[in-house]
Amino acid sequence: MKELIFSSEHFGFVLSIFIFLLSIQIKVKFKSELLNPLLLSTIIIVAILVLFRIPYKEYQKGADLLSYFLTPATVCLAIPLYKQISLLKNNFKAVFFSVLLGTLTSLGSILFLGLLFRLESEHIFTLLPKSITTAIGIGVSEASGGYVNLTVAAIVITGILGSILSDLIFRILPIRHPIAKGLALGTGSHAIGTAKALEYGEVEGAMSSLAIVLAGIFTVIFVPIITAVFF
């Protein structure tokens, strides 16, 4: 076990898990939305790599193991949805069209701003999947010709911002209905937003889980259409 933990091949994996758990404890202690565990752990890990001059490739050897858990973790989000299946049946039309419009708004805003600022088509393709889960976003970016690494960064940043700003946005608008909160977080901030939705309640978490799936499907359908029509 000791050899496993301190092996250079597993260094990144062990470091990532330890720092993330530490970040969760920090957020729980200080109770601040700005201390998002994913954001905080990212900052700490970057600081450690820079401070101790650890090559990123050395860290990545173990950190890549986390990628294998990404898809199973996303699939597990179906559990709270299954528990609220009757709620879904009673509100299916509202759920369907809410996520559809949210997805179109996300794609449309990226396309509009990209064309407005005359970004290269590859950069627009990179940003189009920013609001869907990484497991799907990577495939969409690759298929359309985007830069996958930047797509992942955009997805993570989008999720973190959605999680941090959700309380403020829900108060300002105001949005109080649990279904609306869940759909907003899942459509706009994918899995990271769903983690935040689960903090609000089981209904919010279930609706956010559903929104991840629908938003992913809609994005896969509409990105090729956007590519064909505008590029």
Side-chain angles (χ1 to χ4, degrees), residues 58-142:
E58 189 69 21
Y59 164 78
Q60 191 180 24
K61 288 179 183 178
D64 280 344
L65 291 173
L66 293 172
S67 300
Y68 292 105
F69 297 101
L70 183 60
T71 301
T74 303
V75 172
C76 287
L77 294 174
I79 295 175
L81 175 60
Y82 176 76
K83 293 181 178 179
Q84 301 292 332
I85 192 67
S86 60
L87 187 63
L88 168 61
K89 292 179 179 179
N90 295 332
N91 298 275
F92 181 77
K93 289 184 179 179
V95 169
F96 182 87
F97 286 106
S98 295
V99 178
L100 175 60
L101 292 175
T103 303
L104 290 175
T105 300
S106 173
L107 296 175
S109 62
I110 291 297
L111 178 62
F112 173 76
L113 292 173
L115 295 175
L116 178 65
F117 291 102
R118 299 179 181 180
L119 296 181
E120 295 181 4
S121 58
E122 291 82 0
H123 294 153
I124 296 176
F125 299 152
T126 297
L127 296 174
L128 282 175
K130 68 175 181 59
S131 292
I132 59 175
T133 185
T134 308
I136 303 175
I138 289 175
V140 173
S141 181
E142 287 180 341

Side-chain angles (χ1 to χ4, degrees), residues 18 125 143 176 194 199 206 212 220:
F18 174 77
F125 299 152
R176 297 188 179 89
T194 300
E199 293 181 13
I212 290 177
V220 170

Side-chain angles (χ1 to χ4, degrees), residues 3-14 57-65:
E3 292 179 359
L4 174 65
I5 293 176
F6 292 99
S7 168
S8 60
E9 294 183 359
H10 301 90
F11 167 75
F13 178 79
V14 175
K57 289 184 178 180
E58 189 69 21
Y59 164 78
Q60 191 180 24
K61 288 179 183 178
D64 280 344
L65 291 173

